[in-house]
Amino acid sequence: MMAAMDYLLTPAQKALKETIRGFVALEVPSRRAVGASDREIAEALVLKLGKFIQERGGRPEIDGGVPLSAVETVMALEEILKCLPAAGPGPAAGRLFGGLSPELRSSAAYLGSAQGLLASCFGRAFGRNGLEASAHRGVAFDQELADVLSAIETARLMMYRAAIFEDEKRPDAEESLEAKRRAEELASKAAALASLIKKGDHHET
């Protein structure tokens, strides 16, 4: 549906991303079942993630105080917020994510939230088979939705590039700020589109 075009990730980083995705998919439903809010769940997952990576991701050094890299951190936060879009941009960073700049931390959370908001609406937006457009909407609406999804992929690549700069000890403040700006803008657009889809309102551009 919204497959990541992770061109800048190494095979090991892609494998870790899948490990984190599996962790989130297992943890979120059980915590929701007991009535926890998205923010409460996000904060709990961030705190538990280090132990999970140590045990399942082949990273024993994580528990010894070595944090995730910037690239790994934005991957983790994005995956968590995809499932918990209402948690907002600031789940507790904890020791595990201590080295990441605030701009990139926000970028990852905003991008994850944008995807989570839209993913929950795809059945309403395109019909059960994922292809049909609802009769009450025009082509302009569907094009706007497609544009947002495409922009999310572009913003992710910008975020990864800024994270790589941080990992290489040559952070680019302008790049990180632009990544945050784009991600925040996309989260706002996604929220507006999701609201329209859920209400079944007409949308005109």
Side-chain angles (χ1 to χ4, degrees):
M1 192 185 315
M2 284 183 284
M5 296 184 285
D6 298 332
Y7 300 126
L8 299 182
L9 301 183
T10 67
Q13 288 168 339
K14 290 178 181 178
L16 179 61
K17 186 170 186 173
E18 288 302 315
T19 297
I20 294 168
R21 183 172 293 166
F23 163 79
V24 173
L26 286 172
E27 290 286 331
V28 169
S30 62
R31 293 177 183 271
R32 275 219 173 106
V34 297
S37 70
D38 276 15
R39 178 169 288 276
E40 290 170 338
I41 298 172
E43 291 175 349
L45 293 195
V46 166
L47 295 174
K48 190 175 179 181
L49 184 57
K51 184 70 171 176
F52 181 86
I53 293 173
Q54 178 195 15
E55 294 176 348
R56 305 281 186 88
R59 293 289 299 278
E61 77 276 11
I62 291 295
D63 197 50
V66 177
L68 295 174
S69 70
V71 173
E72 293 167 342
T73 302
V74 295
M75 288 191 312
L77 291 175
E78 183 185 8
E79 290 302 319
I80 289 172
L81 270 294
K82 276 183 188 178
C83 289
L84 302 164
R95 179 171 60 88
L96 190 67
F97 299 157
L100 189 66
S101 71
E103 292 80 16
L104 282 183
R105 189 180 304 157
S106 293
S107 296
Y110 281 127
L111 278 184
S113 293
Q115 293 166 86
L117 288 167
L118 293 178
S120 66
C121 299
F122 265 83
R124 294 184 178 92
F126 294 113
R128 291 183 181 275
N129 65 4
L131 298 174
E132 299 175 2
S134 297
H136 75 275
R137 295 192 331 270
V139 173
F141 181 93
D142 295 328
Q143 184 61 55
E144 185 173 354
L145 180 59
D147 288 346
V148 170
L149 296 178
S150 177
I152 285 172
E153 297 297 343
T154 302
R156 178 184 294 109
L157 292 179
M158 174 175 280
M159 178 180 70
Y160 285 166
R161 187 170 67 176
I164 288 170
F165 287 152
E166 289 199 6
D167 284 333
E168 293 176 346
K169 308 302 181 187
R170 51 188 186 101
D172 186 320
E174 186 174 338
E175 185 93 0
S176 296
L177 284 170
E178 180 62 12
K180 177 187 175 184
R181 186 194 68 77
R182 289 197 183 187
E184 187 172 6
E185 179 182 312
L186 287 167
S188 178
K189 287 184 177 179
L193 286 171
S195 178
L196 287 170
I197 292 168
K198 288 179 179 179
K199 291 177 182 176
D201 291 341
H202 291 276
H203 180 75
E204 298 180 0
T205 56

